[in-house]
Amino acid sequence: TGNIVKIRSRWYDPIDPQVHREVGGSGIILSPNGPAEKYSLILTAKHVIEGYTYIDIIFQKQTIQGEIVAKGHRADWAILKVARVEASGVRPLDYQDRPIRLEPCFAVGYSLSINIPVLTKGCIQGIVEDKILYTAPTIFGNSGGGVFVMRDGKYRLAGISVALYISHMGVVEHLGLACPVWKVLEGN
C-alpha cells in the first residue's frame, strides 16, 4: 500500500465562495523518484478530479497540489503531476496486461475518505465492456485506487477502481469495475 495516496478535489464558486463541492478518492504513485526528477506522476480515476479547481494529494502527512497532465478520452483515468514525492515505502510498479478469470486480486484505496488505505481481497471475474470486473469489496472513496494481482511472486497493477457494479436491480454488493492498465498505456 506504499504507493497509494488519498485525493481531495475541491471546487469553489467564483462569485460566492460559500458555494463549494468536495469529493474524495484515491490514486497511485506510478514510480518512485530518482534524484534528478522534479515531479512524481499519480494515476487516478478521471471522475475523481475532472471539473475541480483544486486537487490535493495527501500522502504520509504531506498535502501537495496536483496538476492534470493527461486523461482518458473514453476510459476513466487521469494522470496528475505533483512536486517530487519523497517517502518511504514507494516502489516501482509492475503492470499486468490482462488479468485471468478467477485470479486472486486485491483492491486498495481510501474507502469513505478515512485516513488509512483499506485493502480488500477478491478475484477477477472477467472483462465487461472494457472494464475489469472483480469481487474485492469496493466502497466509495476507492475510485482511483489500485486493483492488483499476484504474478511471478510480484504484485502487479491490473487496473484502477472506477465504479461499483450496477445492474437493473441497483448496486451489486462486492462487484467492482476497474479501468484496465492497458487502457492507460494505450492512451484512450
Side-chain angles (χ1 to χ4, degrees), residues 115-126:
N115 289 323
I116 59 168
V118 174
L119 179 78
T120 59
K121 183 178 180 182
C123 67
I124 302 296
Q125 291 298 308

Side-chain angles (χ1 to χ4, degrees), residues 7-142:
I7 296 177
R8 181 179 61 221
S9 300
R10 298 173 289 137
W11 172 86
Y12 294 92
D13 186 304
I15 297 169
D16 182 359
Q18 297 299 317
V19 176
H20 66 281
R21 184 175 55 206
E22 185 174 312
V23 298
S26 304
I28 304 164
I29 299 172
L30 292 178
S31 64
N33 304 69
E37 295 177 25
K38 295 180 181 178
Y39 302 101
S40 292
L41 297 176
I42 294 174
L43 176 63
T44 190
K46 180 170 60 175
H47 74 266
V48 170
I49 52 86
E50 192 167 55
Y52 289 90
T53 312
Y54 302 99
I55 302 165
D56 298 325
I57 309 301
I58 302 152
F59 180 71
Q60 293 185 357
K61 299 183 182 179
Q62 305 172 61
T63 300
I64 307 165
Q65 280 290 138
E67 173 188 341
I68 301 169
V69 293
K71 57 186 175 180
H73 300 289
R74 293 185 303 271
D76 189 1
W77 63 267
I79 296 178
L80 307 174
K81 178 173 76 171
V82 298
R84 192 170 96 162
V85 173
E86 303 249 1
S88 60
V90 178
R91 293 180 172 73
L93 291 177
D94 289 307
Y95 305 101
Q96 182 58 45
D97 185 27
R98 296 210 179 233
I100 299 168
R101 181 168 162 69
L102 301 181
E103 183 172 27
C105 71
F106 301 89
V108 62
Y110 281 88
S111 304
L112 300 173
S113 294
I114 60 175
N115 289 323
I116 59 168
V118 174
L119 179 78
T120 59
K121 183 178 180 182
C123 67
I124 302 296
Q125 291 298 308
I127 307 298
V128 176
E129 298 174 8
D130 281 343
K131 292 181 183 73
I132 300 168
L133 180 67
Y134 63 93
T135 61
T138 303
I139 307 164
F140 295 101
N142 267 48

